[in-house]
Amino acid sequence: MSPDVVVVGAGIIGAACAEALSAAGLRVTVLERGALASGTTAAGEGNVLVSDKAPGPELDLARASRRRWPRLLAALREELGPRAAETEWDPKGGLVVATTAEAVAPLAEFAAAQRTAGVRADRIDPARARDLEPHLTRQVTAAVHYPEDAQLQPVLAATTLLAAVRARGGEVRAGTTVTGVVRDAGDRVGGVRTDRGSLACGAVVNCCGPWAGSFAAAAGAPVTVLPRRGMILVTAPLPPDTVRRKVYDADYVGAVASGDAELQTSTVVESTRAGTVLIGSSRERVGFDGTVRVEVLRELARKAVALFPVLADVPVMRAYGGFRPYAPDHLPVIGADPRLPGLWHATGHEGAGIGLAAATGRLLADLFTGAAPELDPAPFRPDRPAVMSQAVISPAVISPAVTGPDGETAA
């Protein structure tokens, strides 16, 4: 029997959409060209954050997702069993610090604005910040504690969501490249073409992450979603109280919101369940250039040591990078494409996809089924000017890996 919906992409966003659609009773097939959760999701830190978002639609989506994640994971543990639904969920909170006198007022203003939107953002003095993080630099001038920030293991989360899809009768196929969309006689989506043949379906959801713009262009309905590259350092395992929560310098918020194409780095340090410490973050728009730039790694290490001097003599085990799906107005693209009935998009989350995934899946499923959505979907519409007016995909940013054998852009 043909699926009701084909979800293209098995990262955290595709997995969340597939799970929510299958929970609504739809027959779902997920197609992924590589291994499951092996792209942007595998290169993520697992952040579920409200601390880095200004009041507005993205913060609303983040808060909805933060409420939904623990409920969803509890339900999946009940459905699948605790071993099959382990995601290393950790509601450990976050700490944002200023390290200069100039940064104190902007940090306080940002936190005050978030509080008006319902975020718990507790101003604390430097001494209290060091109580929370004993290894923090003595140069802290102000701090805000965000107890709602959380973390999970992104690959485990994605595979848990996909396990639920399978348990409900859906299919998840790795190693299957989608090369185009089939239109029926009514010029609607009637299926997808893959490197293993065509598959009929009633609708397609574009969850291709940084390659979503290429997929949309191949379907004849381009949207502007481009890759933005980030790098992360991973230390050797450390005692569990070395870094207790996610800690970042106040300049991180500005880097997240910036549309600058040039390299930006900001200090982000956090521990993992395995004892390693993740060090970020960098952002640069370089297309799909995967070159490891040593100067970027050095900058990340230098800034991390300035925030946590204890890290100066800690060995770095590895560094990894990934491409994040970037939309020009910094908002995800979620919903139906009016140019091609049956084509849906869920992409453009950049580095926030892990945290936003739970609410994204639910929002898309509500829109698909006609249920009343929890959030206003209008800011995320695929036909908004910021995404549609620039929707020209340059060959310079299309990875050769997404080009099919007949020259079609693949997912």
Side-chain angles (χ1 to χ4, degrees):
M1 183 179 294
S2 299
D4 298 312
V5 187
V6 166
V7 175
V8 185
I12 191 68
I13 297 297
C17 290
E19 187 283 327
L21 290 165
S22 67
L26 295 156
R27 295 187 304 276
V28 180
T29 293
V30 181
L31 302 180
E32 166 60 50
R33 69 181 183 190
L36 305 181
S38 61
T40 300
T41 297
E45 297 164 274
N47 293 319
V48 181
L49 303 182
V50 297
S51 58
D52 61 343
K53 298 169 182 65
E58 187 183 28
L59 179 58
D60 295 341
L61 189 66
R63 295 188 68 219
S65 209
R66 176 59 180 85
R67 292 190 296 269
R68 179 167 170 75
W69 264 124
R71 298 198 303 263
L72 175 59
L73 295 176
L76 293 177
R77 284 193 295 272
E78 183 72 22
E79 180 179 353
L80 302 173
R83 292 189 64 183
E86 174 55 54
T87 64
E88 299 183 6
W89 171 258
D90 187 357
K92 61 186 178 181
L95 186 66
V96 184
V97 300
T99 55
T100 65
E102 295 77 15
V104 173
L107 176 60
E109 292 167 5
F110 188 81
Q114 288 181 304
R115 285 193 290 273
T116 66
V119 174
R120 184 175 169 188
D122 302 330
R123 289 191 66 182
I124 58 176
D125 61 28
R128 176 57 180 155
R130 287 191 294 273
D131 287 341
L132 295 177
E133 293 289 346
H135 295 288
L136 193 62
T137 176
R138 309 290 293 186
Q139 303 303 313
V140 170
T141 54
V144 179
H145 180 222
Y146 289 89
E148 295 171 294
D149 280 357
Q151 185 181 27
L152 47 69
Q153 211 293 331
V155 174
L156 290 178
T159 53
T160 294
L161 295 166
L162 295 171
V165 174
R166 287 194 180 103
R168 297 165 189 160
E171 283 191 81
V172 180
R173 303 183 194 174
T176 302
T177 300
V178 178
T179 59
V181 173
V182 177
R183 301 190 185 215
D184 64 17
D187 206 28
R188 300 177 54 89
V189 168
V192 293
R193 291 189 299 275
T194 81
D195 58 353
R196 300 188 179 192
S198 294
L199 175 64
C201 62
V204 174
V205 186
N206 172 14
C207 297
C208 298
W211 298 272
S214 301
F215 178 84
V223 293
T224 304
V225 177
L226 303 171
R228 202 178 189 191
R229 189 167 187 243
M231 296 293 298
I232 296 171
L233 299 176
V234 185
T235 73
L238 298 172
D241 65 344
T242 304
V243 181
R244 298 175 176 177
R245 51 189 56 75
K246 180 182 178 75
V247 183
Y248 58 88
D249 201 318
D251 62 358
Y252 175 78
V253 172
V256 169
S258 172
D260 198 330
E262 298 303 314
L263 172 67
Q264 299 173 73
T265 61
S266 50
T267 318
V268 183
V269 180
E270 64 186 310
S271 58
T272 70
R273 186 77 60 88
T276 58
V277 171
L278 305 180
I279 296 171
S281 70
S282 68
R283 285 172 166 77
E284 55 184 332
R285 286 163 53 190
V286 291
F288 286 101
D289 181 358
T291 304
V292 175
R293 296 172 55 191
V294 175
E295 63 270 24
V296 176
L297 305 183
R298 286 176 176 159
E299 182 76 357
L300 295 180
R302 183 188 65 79
K303 289 188 172 183
V305 170
L307 197 61
F308 280 89
V310 69
L311 297 176
D313 298 320
V314 174
V316 172
M317 292 196 307
R318 66 188 181 99
Y320 64 90
F323 301 108
R324 300 156 183 166
Y326 166 84
D329 59 357
H330 301 283
L331 288 177
V333 182
I334 307 168
D337 195 307
R339 297 164 296 178
L340 177 54
L343 175 63
W344 294 70
H345 302 282
T347 185
H349 299 75
E350 202 183 333
I354 309 300
L356 300 178
T360 294
R362 178 61 181 270
L363 177 59
L364 185 126
D366 286 344
L367 294 172
F368 193 95
T369 61
E374 178 182 0
L375 298 169
D376 179 8
F380 312 110
R381 289 175 60 100
D383 59 347
R384 64 184 190 265
V387 175
M388 297 286 282
S389 63
Q390 304 179 56
V392 177
I393 308 300
S394 166
V397 299
I398 297 178
S399 166
V402 298
T403 303
D406 298 321
E408 294 177 307
T409 306

